[in-house]
Amino acid sequence: MEIRPASPADLDAIAGLYLHNHLSTYRELLPDYVSGLSLPYCREKWAAFLNGPENRVWAAFEGGAFLGFAACAPDAELSETLYLEALHVAESARGKGVGTALIRSAAGYAAAHGCRSMSVCIIRGNERAGRLYRKLGAAHFKYFEDDFHGTRTRSEKLLWETLPEGKEKGEEMHV
């Protein structure tokens, strides 16, 4: 598996996976939000994110096949903390270490760029994500209400006070 910084050439794969995973994961948790999602909206969202000067996106591939991505930005609430904005893995690649490798890539970047911790927010009810993050050392930070484009959610912020062991080579990582 290869983990590398995402490029504009990866945008269609990122947008498509984001849309697919939101439709399958959040159909019950955020029905109003997912009913308004479209591929053009997802493409625009991730094009803007990729162009953010402090944002980072890593993409996972194997044999040329796109497996998933992780997106990060500085945490707006906590100093010296990298915020895991999104982690999406293709259904066919789940349970094979792709999510773990992407998180570790983000953690390696965080450590190399002066961050002491990493955070992520999850919608309460997304147990699969919560289990993965906790398995890798994240712990409860706080509960809060979030707003997904007008849809209120019960959410939880998790924090890695110690960064998951990561690898940062600057360009790409082979696992």
Side-chain angles (χ1 to χ4, degrees):
M1 175 179 13
E2 174 190 1
I3 307 284
R4 63 167 176 74
S7 73
D10 302 320
L11 184 57
D12 286 338
I14 289 169
L17 181 58
Y18 179 84
L19 176 62
H20 177 270
N21 283 358
H22 270 69
L23 291 174
S24 63
T25 301
Y26 296 114
R27 185 175 308 281
E28 301 296 320
L29 297 171
L30 298 171
D32 293 338
Y33 173 67
V34 298
S35 69
L37 285 179
S38 67
L39 191 55
Y41 166 82
C42 295
R43 194 172 198 296
E44 184 178 311
K45 171 190 174 54
W46 288 105
F49 192 90
L50 278 167
N51 288 322
E54 295 186 82
N55 300 341
R56 297 292 176 266
V57 180
W58 294 269
F61 294 88
E62 187 162 71
F66 178 74
L67 304 177
F69 73 97
C72 296
D75 190 302
E77 178 182 19
L78 301 169
S79 65
E80 299 178 335
T81 303
L82 187 68
Y83 177 66
L84 182 59
E85 171 77 27
L87 175 70
H88 290 276
V89 175
E91 285 182 37
S92 62
R94 291 182 187 161
K96 298 177 181 176
V98 176
T100 298
L102 287 163
I103 290 168
R104 288 186 172 149
S105 293
Y109 174 86
H113 290 84
C115 292
R116 294 181 307 136
S117 56
M118 199 163 76
S119 64
V120 65
C121 294
I122 58 172
I123 295 171
R124 290 169 64 191
N126 185 355
E127 301 305 325
R128 177 183 294 147
R131 278 191 305 274
L132 174 61
Y133 301 141
R134 285 180 175 89
K135 179 180 105 176
L136 293 174
H140 172 79
F141 179 71
K142 71 175 186 177
Y143 293 115
F144 66 102
E145 278 198 12
D146 204 357
D147 186 309
F148 271 77
H149 305 278
T151 300
R152 303 295 294 168
T153 66
R154 295 176 344 143
S155 297
E156 179 180 15
K157 187 168 192 170
L158 302 172
L159 183 67
W160 284 274
E161 290 191 49
T162 302
L163 293 170
E165 185 178 319
K167 294 184 180 179
E168 167 64 26
K169 290 185 178 181
E171 288 302 314
E172 63 183 48
M173 175 174 87
H174 295 275
V175 218

